[in-house]
Amino acid sequence: MITPVCQRWRERRDSYRPRGEVMDPREYEVSVLPIATAKAFVISHHYSGTFPAARRSFALHRKGQLVGVAVFSHPASNAVLTKVFDGPAKESIELGRFVLLDSVPANGETWFLARTFEALRKEGFRGVVAFSDPVPRTDGTGKIVFTGHIGNIYQAHNAVFTGRGGAQIMRLLPDGSVLSARAVAKIRSLDQGWQYASKILIQHGAAPLRIEADLFGAGDDPKVWTERWVSTLTRPVRHPGNWRYAFPLQRKVKSKLPALPYPKFGARP
């Protein structure tokens, strides 16, 4: 059973449109979007408040107004892609973020997704891997900030359902957002992007990370700093793994994993 509503976002708060609405495609336009613009939109509206390692990004405009963004990214591990599709990892791609504002009618999801897949197919990409997160999340007060979803739009777009991704321990910040393991690793080793990652902790109360000596004494050891503030500001939650969907983009390409029955609304996360 697919839910009778479609999820939307605005300023990181979810809302819902009734399924069955019909958009007028003459009012909408899909185009390539600069990654910097996509990042600002996603961070402003998506519940996670984070942005993936983007490779391609597309805009959905309605009468000149940006109302949706699709970001295709490279996962932390090549195996996320090569486990699903043959060929080098660079020939496949992950749907990292998909955000529509609450003004977009229900069937705008599949229409927008189809246009982005057409563009990726023309570039020669073999397939797209997408995940849906079925596990609800709460903030530090116990308020539900994310209800979880089973991937309705992927099912409506005839994706191949291949089961779960890997189980993990999530680290939840006080507002219920996830501090990714990738972000933690970047701070610990001062890899590219560590400043952005550290700001997430600082915004939730961590002291600034001082990597050089200043008037207050020696600089911080990034490993010690990370351990201290991750343990102080986040809480661990066991996650059984996201639902994984595959979209072959080329005629001869098939998923290496067997197709399984779609998860149903109300199924155990």
Side-chain angles (χ1 to χ4, degrees), residues 46-204:
H46 193 260
Y47 72 90
S48 70
T50 61
F51 193 73
R55 295 174 64 190
R56 302 288 188 278
S57 56
F58 298 91
L60 177 67
H61 284 97
R62 181 178 185 270
K63 297 181 178 179
Q65 180 184 4
L66 183 61
V67 295
V69 167
V71 179
F72 295 87
S73 56
H74 195 82
S77 169
N78 288 342
V80 172
L81 302 174
T82 58
K83 185 177 182 179
V84 179
F85 296 111
D86 287 322
K90 67 180 181 180
E91 294 182 1
S92 299
I93 202 164
E94 180 181 1
L95 178 58
R97 294 287 184 270
F98 190 77
V99 188
L100 298 184
L101 296 186
D102 48 16
S103 62
V104 181
N107 72 328
E109 296 170 320
T110 51
W111 187 86
F112 182 26
L113 200 63
R115 305 290 89 72
T116 64
F117 283 4
E118 288 174 4
L120 294 173
R121 183 179 295 110
K122 289 178 181 178
E123 284 196 56
F125 282 100
R126 295 172 60 79
V128 174
V129 176
F131 292 90
S132 66
D133 187 347
V135 178
R137 290 199 265 287
T138 60
D139 63 16
T141 68
K143 178 184 176 181
I144 294 179
V145 295
F146 174 62
T147 58
H149 64 97
I150 63 171
N152 284 330
I153 61 169
Y154 309 147
Q155 296 181 18
H157 207 68
N158 299 316
V160 178
F161 177 63
T162 64
R164 288 191 186 274
Q168 59 179 306
I169 300 294
M170 294 190 304
R171 304 294 312 195
L172 296 188
L173 290 155
D175 63 358
S177 61
V178 177
L179 180 67
S180 70
R182 195 174 194 175
V184 172
K186 286 183 177 182
I187 304 171
R188 287 174 57 88
S189 57
L190 298 183
D191 284 343
Q192 183 176 0
W194 72 265
Q195 295 97 330
Y196 171 74
S198 66
K199 283 181 181 178
I200 296 174
L201 286 169
I202 293 170
Q203 290 169 353
H204 288 277

Side-chain angles (χ1 to χ4, degrees), residues 5-62:
V5 293
C6 298
Q7 194 170 36
R8 294 289 183 268
W9 297 96
R10 186 177 290 273
E11 297 178 354
R12 299 180 64 183
R13 295 184 178 182
D14 62 342
S15 60
Y16 298 86
R17 303 285 305 215
R19 186 168 294 279
E21 287 183 323
V22 178
M23 64 178 284
D24 184 350
R26 295 172 297 182
E27 296 183 354
Y28 292 85
E29 179 183 2
V30 176
S31 62
V32 174
L33 185 67
I35 288 177
T37 306
K39 181 176 181 179
F41 185 92
V42 169
I43 290 177
S44 295
H45 297 293
H46 193 260
Y47 72 90
S48 70
T50 61
F51 193 73
R55 295 174 64 190
R56 302 288 188 278
S57 56
F58 298 91
L60 177 67
H61 284 97
R62 181 178 185 270

